[in-house]
Amino acid sequence: MEHSVRVIIAEDSVLLREGLTRLLTDRGHEVVAGVGDGEALLKTVRELAAGGALPDVVVADVRMPPSHTDEGLRAAVELRGAFPDLGVLVLSQYVEEQYATELLAGSTSGVGYLLKDRVAEVRDFVDAVVRVARGGTALDPEVVAQLLGRSRKRDVLGVLTPREREVLTLMAEGRTNGAIARRMVVSDGAVEKHISNIFMKLGLAQSDADHRRVLAVLTYLKS
Amino acid sequence: MSTDRGPVAEPAPPRAVLSGGTWREIVHLLANLPVDVVAFTFVAAWLYAGVLLAVTVVGLPVLTLGLMGCRQLGKAERARARALLDVHVEEPTPLRHRTHGGVGAWVWATLKDPVAWRYALYATIRLPWGPFTFFVTFVALFLAWPALPWLARWLTHVDRALVRYLLAPSDELERRIAALEAGRAAVTDTASADLRRIERDLHDGAQARLVHLAMNLGIAKENLTHDPHTAARMVDTAHHEIKLALQELRDLARGIHPAILTHRGLGPALQTLTTRCTTPTTLHTDLPHRPAPATESIAYFTISELLQNISKHSHATHAHIELWKTDNRLLIHVTDNGHGGANPHHGTGLTGLTHRLQSVDGLLLIHSPTGGPTTITAELPWRDPD
């Protein structure tokens, strides 16, 4: 079982904030603060950081008061700049490639962007929070689908086998080899083989670190 | 749409003596005497009497009735010109469409009705002119009939000009109002159709799912203690159901107004739209800055509908969208390599789209030869944000 992570939740709906808190504490994680807007989020993180107790991850809703537009996203981008060690997971009612691009600018370590609905799959969601807290990536399948769908490299992607495409999608979502293997019900070795095939076919350099691998794939898809 | 009100073109060469057109012109000229005398008498009797009596109680009603009569006479005169002289001018907007309020408002509207007053002017000018043409034609009929076709042509040419200048809808403003009224009707229709669609989507989609969900959870609650297995299965179904309901609600909300359009503008919103389109679509936007939200919204939904048409009807394998700004217009260019034949008259969404764009002073041009490719250009006024 994963060890506990320390979380701040920024979500303006009290109902949802309490739901998220409960969901995470039930699974042994610690919710250090819950806030309702972007300003409060920035303030709380700075205070905690000043006291030497920077949390592992922030879970923030994109749309919060007062402007109800993209407060959460802007706060998240700012936090990523100011605290590289802090994981940031952004939740949104809609998944937009543009938001993902802004959030992922520069690096894919310790960052996540998920559709709000994903909280319904409790295990997957908590996995994503933990992954981001530990410097990994969690990208919503819809974002990945959008990236795959509009990639100019469609011809090259066509060379991949359906299995390899599936692995590529899961990899772009930020999942580890183990997680991909479990989801596809194959062995870790089989996944590794698929991944090396994919990297070979796309002409990418292999990389061990998961988040660097995600970055390579995303950069490739967006170029 | 437009009436010929510009500088009068050189008349065509006269036709042969016996041609139907020439005979109709002659009939028109001969009818000028009785028609114009009667018309002038009417105008003189009612209007001048009305004006003279304006100081008394009966003055205004007399004048009002006289002006109403003028409108009708103008209509008859346009019909006569249409039948005999081949002059087609648009009918002015009926007065009643534009007056709301009591009798007073209606009397006032009639009194300042430019259409009626212009007819009065027309009838006044025609009193010398009509009888004159009658006599010239009548004499020529017996004494100079070989010259009659030319004569008839020239005389009716003046008649045509009078009808065009004095009996056409009085001014741009009138027609503008008619266009705006049509536009407003289109907007209202679209808005209420949209509301009905949203209601139906909610009813058939998310609402139905939530009912089913509530039912499954109800069953699960009943079975919780004595049949945990069934309960677990019901909760599982409910869980699946609610995720679908969320998806449907999200799609519906996006269809009403995509949040990204508000937050990031046309470029990013259209990018997402093209990704969701089943036909591979490329996008090129060249906008100096964001326009007013209303402009963005119209442009977005226009393109959204065009893309839907492309993926449903065109069999295209590729589409391209271009967006740019000229002086004060936003231009949208959507092309596809499908089989063409898009036609606004076949009851597709293009008709509604054309009307909606017209209602905001925009326009939609469709070039879609059979066999393709299709190019649709939409243009709408660019408004800067407040």
Side-chain angles (χ1 to χ4, degrees):
Chain A
M1 187 67 197
E2 70 257 12
H3 66 68
S4 159
V5 296
R6 300 174 65 245
V7 190
I8 292 187
I9 295 171
E11 158 67 63
D12 59 321
S13 153
V14 177
L15 196 68
L16 218 50
R17 195 160 72 213
E18 280 174 1
L20 284 170
T21 307
R22 171 145 186 222
L23 195 145
L24 288 166
T25 45
D26 277 1
R27 298 209 147 220
H29 302 292
E30 186 192 349
V31 175
V32 290
V35 294
D37 63 78
E39 271 307 306
L41 172 63
L42 292 174
K43 193 163 152 268
T44 311
V45 173
R46 284 198 195 103
E47 279 170 10
L48 285 170
L54 188 73
D56 299 312
V57 62
V58 164
V59 176
D61 183 15
V62 166
R63 203 159 163 173
M64 283 190 290
S67 67
H68 287 282
T69 56
D70 56 357
E71 294 255 325
L73 184 75
R74 277 182 280 132
V77 170
E78 198 174 325
L79 286 176
R80 262 172 73 65
F83 305 100
D85 292 338
L86 174 70
V88 172
L89 173 61
V90 172
L91 298 182
S92 171
Q93 203 66 258
Y94 307 94
V95 149
E96 301 288 356
E97 195 194 321
Q98 174 78 21
Y99 291 169
T101 307
E102 288 168 26
L103 201 58
L104 295 172
S107 134
T108 56
S109 73
V111 66
Y113 179 44
L114 292 178
L115 212 51
K116 244 183 193 175
D117 303 8
R118 307 296 176 209
V119 297
E121 288 300 338
V122 178
R123 181 199 298 266
D124 271 9
F125 176 72
V126 176
D127 278 355
V129 173
V130 173
R131 202 155 76 223
V132 172
R134 292 185 184 154
T137 317
L139 210 48
D140 197 273
E142 264 203 36
V143 180
V144 176
Q146 283 188 17
L147 286 170
L148 284 170
R150 59 177 297 102
S151 174
R152 291 213 184 85
K153 304 279 171 53
R154 240 178 292 205
D155 297 346
V156 186
L157 293 174
V159 184
L160 302 180
T161 65
R163 283 300 246 191
E164 285 164 359
R165 270 186 81 96
E166 204 178 336
V167 173
L168 178 71
T169 306
L170 292 169
M171 205 160 64
E173 284 169 19
R175 293 175 197 274
T176 58
N177 289 7
I180 296 176
R182 273 198 301 283
R183 171 157 298 228
M184 293 178 66
V185 203
V186 293
S187 68
D188 284 17
V191 171
E192 270 162 34
K193 194 160 172 295
H194 281 311
I195 292 176
S196 80
N197 279 343
I198 293 166
F199 275 72
M200 201 181 64
K201 284 183 180 175
L202 302 186
L204 293 172
Q206 291 270 17
S207 168
D208 295 334
D210 285 339
H211 70 265
R212 234 174 276 152
R213 193 173 73 178
V214 176
L215 185 64
V217 171
L218 295 183
T219 313
Y220 176 79
L221 291 176
K222 287 167 76 67
S223 63
Chain B
M1 267 295 267
S2 76
T3 328
D4 179 9
R5 296 185 65 219
V8 180
E10 279 295 306
R15 309 177 189 98
V17 180
L18 290 176
S19 86
T22 305
W23 280 113
R24 283 202 297 277
E25 284 172 352
I26 293 169
V27 170
H28 188 269
L29 292 168
L30 292 177
N32 275 353
L33 176 71
V35 169
D36 291 344
V37 168
V38 168
F40 179 76
T41 314
F42 175 89
V43 170
W46 287 91
L47 296 196
Y48 298 152
V51 171
L52 289 176
L53 290 171
V55 287
T56 69
V57 181
V58 291
L60 281 187
V62 167
L63 199 56
T64 309
L65 285 173
L67 287 168
M68 283 167 63
C70 280
R71 252 190 181 257
Q72 294 311 311
L73 286 172
K75 196 173 178 178
E77 207 44 11
R78 276 190 297 274
R80 184 164 78 108
R82 198 158 44 237
L84 297 172
L85 300 182
D86 231 11
V87 172
H88 297 271
V89 295
E90 264 179 84
E91 292 294 322
T93 328
L95 209 52
R96 63 188 141 77
H97 286 172
R98 306 214 313 270
T99 49
H100 307 285
V103 179
W106 178 75
V107 166
W108 177 238
T110 309
L111 284 179
K112 56 181 189 138
D113 176 17
V115 175
W117 284 109
R118 279 151 59 99
Y119 177 79
L121 178 62
Y122 175 83
T124 313
I125 293 172
R126 286 201 68 100
L127 182 68
W129 173 253
F132 167 74
T133 57
F134 169 83
F135 289 118
V136 171
T137 314
F138 191 74
V139 170
L141 206 52
F142 296 102
L143 298 181
W145 62 264
L148 202 55
W150 280 272
L151 202 61
R153 193 80 233 204
W154 280 102
L155 290 174
T156 54
H157 189 54
V158 176
D159 285 350
R160 284 190 182 92
L162 282 172
V163 171
R164 281 195 186 113
Y165 281 102
L166 290 172
L167 299 188
S170 56
D171 48 20
E172 286 304 315
L173 195 62
E174 273 226 3
R175 265 179 288 168
R176 180 93 184 103
I177 289 169
L180 288 177
E181 278 173 345
R184 190 179 58 182
V187 170
T188 320
D189 289 350
T190 313
S192 73
D194 282 348
L195 286 177
R196 280 199 301 276
R197 182 181 55 77
I198 292 165
E199 191 276 337
R200 201 178 50 232
D201 288 353
L202 275 174
H203 179 267
D204 298 350
Q207 251 175 9
R209 287 207 186 285
L210 289 175
V211 170
H212 193 211
L213 169 78
M215 203 175 69
N216 279 333
L217 284 178
I219 299 172
K221 198 171 94 180
E222 297 281 300
N223 289 318
L224 215 48
T225 44
H226 67 271
D227 188 359
H229 183 67
T230 308
R233 199 157 46 80
M234 287 297 161
V235 169
D236 192 47
T237 313
H239 190 222
H240 178 69
E241 201 80 24
I242 201 162
K243 282 189 284 183
L244 287 178
L246 284 172
Q247 171 85 36
E248 272 170 19
L249 278 175
R250 190 171 51 240
D251 288 347
L252 186 64
R254 191 195 289 275
I256 296 169
H257 193 93
I260 182 110
L261 183 60
T262 321
H263 303 168
R264 290 290 186 276
L266 275 171
L270 288 173
Q271 198 140 72
T272 303
L273 188 66
T274 54
T275 321
R276 296 167 70 90
C277 181
T278 48
T279 309
T281 306
T282 47
L283 170 73
H284 179 81
T285 53
D286 180 15
L287 305 175
H289 53 90
R290 288 181 63 176
T295 308
E296 284 186 334
S297 172
I298 298 163
Y300 178 88
F301 284 104
T302 300
I303 293 171
S304 162
E305 197 151 335
L306 291 176
L307 286 187
Q308 270 175 39
N309 273 346
I310 288 173
S311 43
K312 265 195 229 153
H313 306 298
S314 77
H315 298 288
T317 56
H318 182 255
H320 180 66
I321 306 169
E322 254 177 272
L323 216 76
W324 72 100
K325 177 187 189 257
T326 63
D327 296 340
N328 53 0
R329 311 284 280 177
L330 174 62
L331 281 139
I332 300 164
H333 204 75
V334 179
T335 51
D336 72 69
N337 62 355
H339 59 36
N343 188 336
H345 305 298
H346 285 174
T348 54
L350 288 176
T351 324
L353 203 54
T354 310
H355 288 157
R356 258 174 290 154
L357 281 171
Q358 276 169 0
S359 71
V360 294
D361 284 334
L363 55 91
L364 189 77
L365 296 174
I366 300 157
H367 180 73
S368 184
T370 311
T374 301
T375 302
I376 296 185
T377 309
E379 196 192 302
L380 52 139
W382 174 286
R383 272 182 36 223
D384 281 320
D386 299 327

